[in-house]
Amino acid sequence: KAGVTQTPRYLIKTRGQQVTLSCSPISGHRSVSWYQQTPGQGLQFLFEYFSETQRNKGNFPGRFSGRQFSNSRSEMNVSTLELGDSALYLCASSSVFGGVDTQYFGPGTRLTVL
Amino acid sequence: AQTVTQSQPEMSVQEAETVTLSCTYDTSENNYYLFWYKQPPSRQMILVIRQEAYKQQNATENRFSVNFQKAAKSFSLKISDSQLGDTAMYFCAFMKSSNQGGKLIFGQGTELSVKP
């Protein structure tokens, strides 16, 4: 099976702009989660989508939003970008294997905000 | 709230030797899962091993094994016969058991260097 794919791999934006990141899960996986990775804060959970519904949400401002489509592909959007939004954004898809909900990650999108 | 602590920011090991990475966590949950992920310089997060808290037997995956001490809330990773390709950042992660999905809570990571 193909792994989790994320597009684009790199993005450069300026403050105040908005950005949309895309994630295609492993075939058959219905859950998609998003994480932000920064040197200062480490890996932080943004949100999780399952069957087109947000099922879990982390502690991020409303500028961060997401959605999931009927084919399980997911997008996340960040509006009014701030310098602190510069980060590696990781998407993970998951399925329950042997009773364990295991998340498999994509290669990430590196976002730089200037 | 759950927390995960990795007290070793950096470690190094000689090729072919064994190294152990430490992880402790704090939770009031009884049912949960623990994971080790590795993130090489490519930044791709790769699952190394997983452990169900209800299982007393420690998980093993080839050269990787864990020492899971539930009462002590400790979950260390042992890498045997270290290889140059094991050089990476290693993250310990916790997930509460739920039929409503869940989020991974990560530690700060341990940067492992395998030296020839």
Side-chain angles (χ1 to χ4, degrees), chain A residues 54-66:
Chain A
Q54 188 179 86
R55 187 162 64 171
N56 290 286
K57 188 177 187 304
N59 296 321
F60 278 81
R63 299 186 298 107
F64 292 82
S65 62

Side-chain angles (χ1 to χ4, degrees), chain B:
Chain B
Q2 292 84 16
T3 59
V4 178
T5 302
Q6 295 178 247
S7 58
Q8 306 149 314
E10 298 177 355
M11 294 189 73
S12 66
V13 63
Q14 292 296 127
E15 197 175 6
E17 295 193 342
T18 296
V19 64
T20 298
L21 281 56
S22 301
C23 172
T24 58
Y25 59 95
D26 188 27
T27 184
S28 58
E29 301 288 334
N30 192 47
N31 296 318
Y32 51 87
Y33 308 120
L34 295 163
F35 304 84
W36 280 97
Y37 284 89
K38 68 180 277 190
Q39 189 177 43
S42 67
R43 309 300 274 173
Q44 172 81 55
M45 193 77 80
I46 300 165
L47 175 68
V48 175
I49 199 165
R50 61 186 158 216
Q51 174 80 43
E52 298 94 305
Y54 66 85
K55 287 188 176 179
Q56 292 187 335
Q57 186 173 7
N58 290 324
T60 62
E61 286 288 344
N62 301 313
R63 299 182 295 107
F64 299 88
S65 61
V66 299
N67 183 3
F68 173 48
Q69 302 288 328
K70 190 172 183 179
K73 296 180 182 175
S74 170
F75 183 61
S76 61
L77 174 70
K78 185 171 82 171
I79 305 174
S80 304
D81 186 25
S82 296
Q83 301 175 358
L84 296 178
D86 295 333
T87 293
M89 184 73 87
Y90 286 80
F91 292 96
C92 177
F94 170 101
M95 178 186 285
K96 188 171 65 171
S97 174
S98 169
N99 60 4
Q100 290 299 310
K103 63 180 181 182
L104 287 165
I105 298 170
F106 288 91
Q108 288 299 309
T110 295
E111 187 167 8
L112 176 68
S113 296
V114 180
K115 300 185 184 304

Side-chain angles (χ1 to χ4, degrees), chain A residues 6-107:
Chain A
Q6 292 186 246
T7 57
R9 294 293 310 279
Y10 302 92
L11 267 179
I12 299 175
K13 294 286 188 179
T14 57
R15 279 185 303 173
Q17 287 187 310
Q18 75 166 17
V19 67
T20 299
L21 312 182
S22 181
C23 172
S24 293
I26 294 171
S27 177
H29 287 193
R30 295 168 62 192
S31 170
V32 173
S33 298
W34 289 88
Y35 294 84
Q36 182 196 65
Q37 185 176 22
T38 60
Q41 298 299 314
L43 282 149
Q44 295 184 288
F45 172 76
L46 281 153
F47 29 65
E48 180 212 5
Y49 286 86
F50 180 81
S51 292
E52 301 178 64
T53 300
Q54 188 179 86
R55 187 162 64 171
N56 290 286
K57 188 177 187 304
N59 296 321
F60 278 81
R63 299 186 298 107
F64 292 82
S65 62
R67 59 178 175 168
Q68 187 179 35
F69 302 94
S70 58
N71 61 358
S72 294
R73 188 177 71 86
S74 177
E75 290 181 346
M76 69 163 281
N77 184 274
V78 188
S79 62
T80 319
L81 284 166
E82 300 177 359
L83 295 179
D85 296 333
S86 293
L88 180 68
Y89 289 88
L90 293 166
C91 162
S93 74
S94 65
S95 70
V96 177
F97 176 79
V100 181
D101 189 348
T102 301
Q103 297 190 7
Y104 298 90
F105 285 82

